[in-house]
Amino acid sequence: MKTSPTLPLPTLLLLLFILGQFPVAGKRAQTQIWESGVYIITLVSDPEHDGQTIVRLLLNFKDTIFIAYVDDNVIGGLSVALPLKRGDYVGERPEGPRSKHSAISYSVAFVGSSTKYFTTVRSDGWLHSDKTVGFLSYITESGSWTNYPYRRIMYSVPRDGVYWIMARPDGSTGHWTTVNIMGLFNAYSGLGVPISASGAFYLTTKDKISMKVTTGQSHIDPATMMSWVYLENNTPEKLKGTYMAFTDTVPPMYAKDYGTDENVAFGGSRLLDRGNMYDQSSKVFSISISGTYILSLRGNPAIHKSLRLQVYCNNKLVFQSFAQRGVSSGQASVFTFERGDRLYIRARDYRHVGKHTMISIALLSKKDRQRLYQ
């Protein structure tokens, strides 16, 4: 009697691993995590069509609640801090009637081995604007917290240093919803599509990460969420006496229509400037430490206008952000930059840059420690 040939167990395991790296049934290749710790995961949904679709984050081949949305060419973005274990698989897949495209940007970047210094939360569900407390539930959580009236929740900052904070409000179509983070920045939603904003900020143990939600005539939807994480590798001890982080906005005097060869000017708020990354005269960012960086742009167009911002590294386009119909829209992604790289931002196609347009760049880990999957 004939028997079917069998493969040695090591060969079979290797084959299964290789097959697991390829897309199946609409899923992009899954990424395996090789070091346990906290990671920032970024998703930016595809903008090249009308209508609404989403890109969903997968964890160990299963759907999660973490989603980047796109609606009528408004690019949806999400940056979220999550704990991952060695051996976990992370991926993404598109959903919806126009979901043939996956995320135009997808990254998983190591932040640190400690799982004590981050929190990710989302709204409990549909919340009408007359409610005042108890509107958030934990997804992942560390540290103490306090719930305050007026739809505000506060988290105690565990230690001094640079933090990455993401906020994403969601409200019904036709009504605005705003998330304010400590008075540092706002995230807006005015289309009924969750739209995020994120950035790096220096906080001390005297501070509290405060999230306040305000609404128009409607309510908060379940996709409203916030995520923050301490950048433990971006410290003076790790970086020889400095930090590498910059967050700033476009000041009113530089809110204008930009030329195609003109760098966008920041310097309106000086929310964070550590490491001398930005040259005000040339409007160019210089990288002095090789490593993994997280970068976000929040475009703020004029009313009834759109705005496309593009990030160039050494004259090569590496990232872009798009905001439409006067609604601020923010996207983030992670990059490997080398010492000596030069970055600048330009406006394309739709070139009216509104005040409060925001950029943020922060080092996650040096080259000798970086762990980045894209």
Side-chain angles (χ1 to χ4, degrees):
M1 183 176 70
K2 292 184 178 181
T3 59
S4 300
T6 59
L7 294 173
L9 182 59
T11 303
L12 180 60
L13 291 175
L14 178 60
L15 179 60
L16 290 174
F17 173 79
I18 292 173
L19 290 175
Q21 304 306 300
F22 290 88
V24 292
K27 297 178 182 179
R28 177 179 286 191
Q30 304 298 294
T31 300
Q32 189 174 29
I33 300 300
W34 292 100
E35 182 174 2
S36 298
V38 176
Y39 288 75
I40 289 180
I41 303 173
T42 68
L43 290 170
V44 181
S45 189
D46 177 79
E48 299 301 329
H49 52 72
D50 295 328
Q52 187 178 99
T53 188
I54 66 175
V55 174
R56 184 182 296 274
L57 179 68
L58 304 179
L59 180 57
N60 294 324
F61 305 97
K62 296 181 179 179
D63 289 347
T64 71
I65 60 174
F66 302 106
I67 298 170
Y69 298 80
V70 60
D71 183 73
D72 291 336
N73 290 334
V74 178
I75 299 178
L78 178 71
S79 57
V80 60
L82 290 178
L84 299 174
K85 300 187 298 294
R86 177 182 172 89
D88 282 346
Y89 282 89
V90 183
E92 51 84 13
R93 70 176 177 86
E95 293 181 4
R98 302 173 184 267
S99 59
K100 63 180 180 179
H101 299 289
S102 293
I104 58 174
S105 175
Y106 158 70
S107 63
V108 183
F110 180 77
V111 178
S113 57
S114 173
T115 58
K116 296 180 179 179
Y117 307 120
F118 78 100
T119 291
T120 298
V121 296
R122 63 168 286 170
S123 54
D124 259 335
W126 304 88
L127 174 79
H128 291 278
S129 56
D130 58 348
K131 299 287 183 65
T132 57
V133 295
F135 74 96
L136 288 174
S137 64
Y138 287 116
I139 299 167
T140 57
E141 170 269 331
S142 176
S144 61
W145 62 279
T146 307
N147 212 339
Y148 281 76
Y150 310 112
R151 299 180 297 281
R152 180 185 292 272
I153 195 163
M154 302 182 74
Y155 305 86
S156 297
V157 175
R159 56 174 58 182
D160 295 1
V162 176
Y163 290 77
W164 185 263
I165 307 175
M166 184 282 296
R168 188 183 70 183
D170 184 21
S172 298
T173 302
H175 300 293
W176 58 266
T177 301
T178 303
V179 170
N180 177 272
I181 301 295
M182 298 181 64
L184 296 175
F185 72 98
N186 290 328
Y188 305 94
S189 176
L191 297 173
V193 178
I195 298 175
S196 67
S198 57
F201 302 92
Y202 182 84
L203 306 177
T204 75
T205 51
K206 298 178 182 178
D207 295 326
K208 291 182 183 292
I209 298 176
S210 170
M211 176 181 179
K212 181 180 180 182
V213 177
T214 58
T215 66
Q217 303 172 27
S218 189
H219 47 248
I220 301 164
D221 287 6
T224 296
M225 60 184 300
M226 183 183 76
S227 185
W228 63 261
V229 60
Y230 172 69
L231 305 187
E232 65 179 68
N233 290 303
N234 195 344
T235 65
E237 294 76 18
K238 300 280 181 72
L239 303 178
K240 297 182 179 180
T242 187
Y243 296 90
M244 294 301 296
F246 180 91
T247 301
D248 209 342
T249 61
V250 172
M253 70 179 69
Y254 291 119
K256 62 177 184 176
D257 287 324
Y258 278 78
T260 56
D261 297 324
E262 186 178 6
N263 295 345
V264 175
F266 297 91
S269 57
R270 293 292 179 183
L271 293 171
L272 179 64
D273 186 6
R274 303 291 177 98
N276 298 317
M277 299 177 67
Y278 185 62
D279 181 77
Q280 191 73 52
S281 59
S282 65
K283 306 175 183 62
V284 170
F285 296 87
S286 298
I287 301 299
S288 59
I289 297 176
S290 299
T292 299
Y293 288 76
I294 183 166
L295 182 151
S296 74
L297 279 172
R298 189 197 66 188
N300 188 37
I303 297 176
H304 305 308
K305 291 190 176 183
S306 300
L307 173 62
R308 186 184 299 275
L309 295 172
Q310 295 183 333
V311 182
Y312 289 83
C313 177
N314 301 329
N315 302 320
K316 180 182 178 181
L317 176 64
V318 295
F319 189 64
Q320 62 179 333
S321 171
F322 187 69
Q324 193 178 32
R325 301 187 210 163
V327 177
S328 297
S329 181
Q331 296 87 39
S333 194
V334 181
F335 304 90
T336 297
F337 293 135
E338 299 292 334
R339 180 177 180 179
D341 284 349
R342 292 166 57 84
L343 311 176
Y344 55 89
I345 291 82
R346 289 185 176 172
R348 299 294 192 204
D349 301 332
Y350 311 94
R351 300 197 300 271
H352 184 88
V353 180
K355 63 180 181 179
H356 306 312
T357 292
M358 188 173 78
I359 187 171
S360 185
I361 305 174
L363 179 71
L364 295 180
S365 58
K366 294 194 296 184
K367 190 172 184 179
D368 59 358
R369 185 54 195 269
Q370 65 192 40
R371 178 71 72 183
L372 170 64
Y373 310 90
Q374 286 183 311

